[in-house]
Amino acid sequence: MSPLDLLDPTTTHDGRPKLGKVLSRSLGSATIGCKSGHVIAGGPHEEAIVQFARVRRAADRDVELVYRTPDDRLLPLASLDDSGNADPVALLARTGRESLAEDIAALAASTSAGDLLSVAEVLFEPPVATCTKICCLALNYRDHAEESNLDVPPEPVLFFKPPSALTGHRTTVVAPRRTRHLEHEIELAVVIGTTTRDLPAERWTEAVAGYTVINDMTARDLQLVNIARNVPWDQFKGFDTFAPLGPYLVTPDEVGDPSALEMRLEVGGTVRQRANTAQMVYGLPRLIADLSNGMTLLPGDVIATGTTAGLAPLVDGDVMRATIDRLGTLQNDVRFS
């Protein structure tokens, strides 16, 4: 966060109005605020947290791009999205943050309450329309390395999940028959906004479209067998539904400093994981520079930045709630085949 952000919470580091501040002026008479990922009524200096989602009104309906309003309803953005694929990353790139803020504000002012969607009634898709790879970091929190009886790696350790592993908020994570030991891993997810290769660490923000929550599901029993055999184990993190993502894509100007976000994961109301992104061994500048060194990152690609301690097995019917400040809560239940 820059000094400008501290002096004026309504502007970004370059002095432009934050998207949430522009929209709060147009989406109702109450000023809006946010605590721990939940939009709440607030005081005179609070603002809306800008959150985009991809949803369906029913399982047989097309995916729609929506904006979450301060009163926790969803504003359809079909009239602004002429691409036809409900892609918030492409819309941000094509329109620009400031112009998009003005367009959404005008749309909100002309939309009746009856045309808004209820968060409770829609089906959530992952908040990225196109993703070619999910880049995941292993052992990027010291306490997770320690609980695994492993050393902190001297360099970032990368593995991949396939895009077919993606699933949305309030969906079911299905463990295949071959595993009996499933574990959760809450992580900050970075969504790439522009084609990026060989990006210097000091320019890492140029690559970022926004942030969201990811739960790096792992078939731990199968993974440990392959670790013991000293062979790759990516497959056992890449099964279908093993990358819950969402519920919202939040733009960087609304998040502030991504290295200072509280995160926690609860199962059945009990907190299992709790940390701050400041505890990452390798921060976002290093990660994005390393990942883009010789490998092209494409718009919609996801970087899962590592998890903290507190891993434990899940049982059939468990409900996981992964929360990161200013990004919201990603909820998924568990079913064993």
Side-chain angles (χ1 to χ4, degrees):
M1 184 176 293
S2 73
L4 273 176
D5 284 305
L6 297 175
L7 292 171
D8 182 1
T10 70
T11 61
T12 62
H13 69 279
D14 55 5
R16 295 179 298 166
K18 286 185 177 178
L19 187 52
K21 181 55 66 177
V22 173
L23 292 170
S24 359
R25 292 195 291 264
S26 303
L27 292 172
S29 56
T31 309
I32 311 302
C34 179
K35 291 182 179 178
S36 301
H38 301 289
V39 177
I40 59 172
H45 299 297
E46 293 176 335
E47 65 187 81
I49 299 300
V50 180
Q51 299 175 323
F52 297 102
R54 301 174 65 250
V55 303
R56 296 180 191 268
R57 303 188 191 207
D60 60 349
R61 298 286 295 274
D62 290 338
V63 180
E64 298 181 56
L65 181 60
V66 297
Y67 160 74
R68 184 186 184 190
T69 69
D71 58 354
D72 207 24
R73 290 180 292 175
L74 302 175
L75 173 68
L77 300 180
S79 63
L80 305 181
D81 178 26
D82 56 11
S83 67
N85 63 347
D87 188 342
V89 175
L91 182 61
L92 282 163
R94 185 171 62 251
T95 308
R97 183 198 61 82
E98 196 164 348
S99 294
L100 182 57
E102 295 171 355
D103 291 345
I104 294 176
L107 178 63
S110 63
T111 301
S112 66
D115 292 328
L116 299 178
L117 305 178
S118 166
V119 169
E121 295 175 356
V122 299
L123 304 174
F124 280 84
E125 295 287 329
V128 292
T130 302
C131 175
T132 69
K133 51 190 169 292
I134 306 168
C135 306
C136 306
L137 279 300
L139 304 176
N140 199 30
Y141 284 74
R142 187 173 301 277
D143 57 357
H144 173 45
E146 291 173 351
E147 76 170 351
S148 304
N149 296 314
L150 296 169
D151 295 331
V152 174
E155 301 285 338
V157 176
L158 173 68
F159 64 95
F160 293 95
K161 284 179 179 267
S164 56
L166 287 170
T167 191
H169 172 54
R170 297 200 308 239
T171 60
T172 298
V173 172
V174 181
R177 299 182 191 279
R178 61 195 297 190
T179 181
R180 294 291 94 190
H181 188 132
L182 182 65
E183 291 186 356
H184 52 75
E185 297 185 16
I186 183 175
E187 307 190 13
L188 171 68
V190 180
V191 177
I192 298 300
T194 186
T195 300
T196 301
R197 185 170 184 228
D198 299 330
L199 188 69
E202 63 271 17
R203 293 171 50 197
W204 69 274
T205 57
E206 297 175 19
V208 179
Y211 304 95
T212 188
V213 185
I214 191 168
N215 192 347
D216 174 13
M217 304 303 301
T218 305
R220 193 71 71 196
D221 49 353
L222 303 179
Q223 183 198 30
L224 291 176
V225 168
N226 272 20
I227 289 176
R229 294 170 56 203
N230 198 29
V231 296
W233 39 260
D234 304 44
Q235 178 186 7
F236 307 127
K237 283 176 167 281
F239 293 134
D240 292 351
T241 74
F242 268 38
L245 187 76
Y248 303 102
L249 175 69
V250 185
T251 53
D253 54 307
E254 300 303 324
V255 173
D257 184 356
S259 65
L261 301 176
E262 291 291 325
M263 63 182 192
R264 69 181 183 277
L265 185 137
E266 303 174 9
V267 177
T270 299
V271 176
R272 290 193 177 182
Q273 293 184 273
R274 185 189 298 274
N276 190 291
T277 54
Q279 297 169 251
M280 285 185 201
V281 176
Y282 300 106
L284 299 189
R286 171 70 182 275
L287 295 181
I288 291 175
D290 272 22
L291 291 174
S292 69
N293 185 359
M295 180 176 71
T296 301
L297 303 176
L298 296 173
D301 284 352
V302 174
I303 302 173
T305 56
T307 197
T308 186
L311 308 186
L314 296 155
V315 299
D316 194 74
D318 273 345
V319 176
M320 305 171 290
R321 289 176 56 84
T323 301
I324 299 181
D325 279 353
R326 302 184 74 83
L327 302 184
T329 296
L330 172 66
Q331 178 175 307
N332 300 91
D333 64 308
V334 174
R335 178 166 60 84
F336 280 80
S337 299

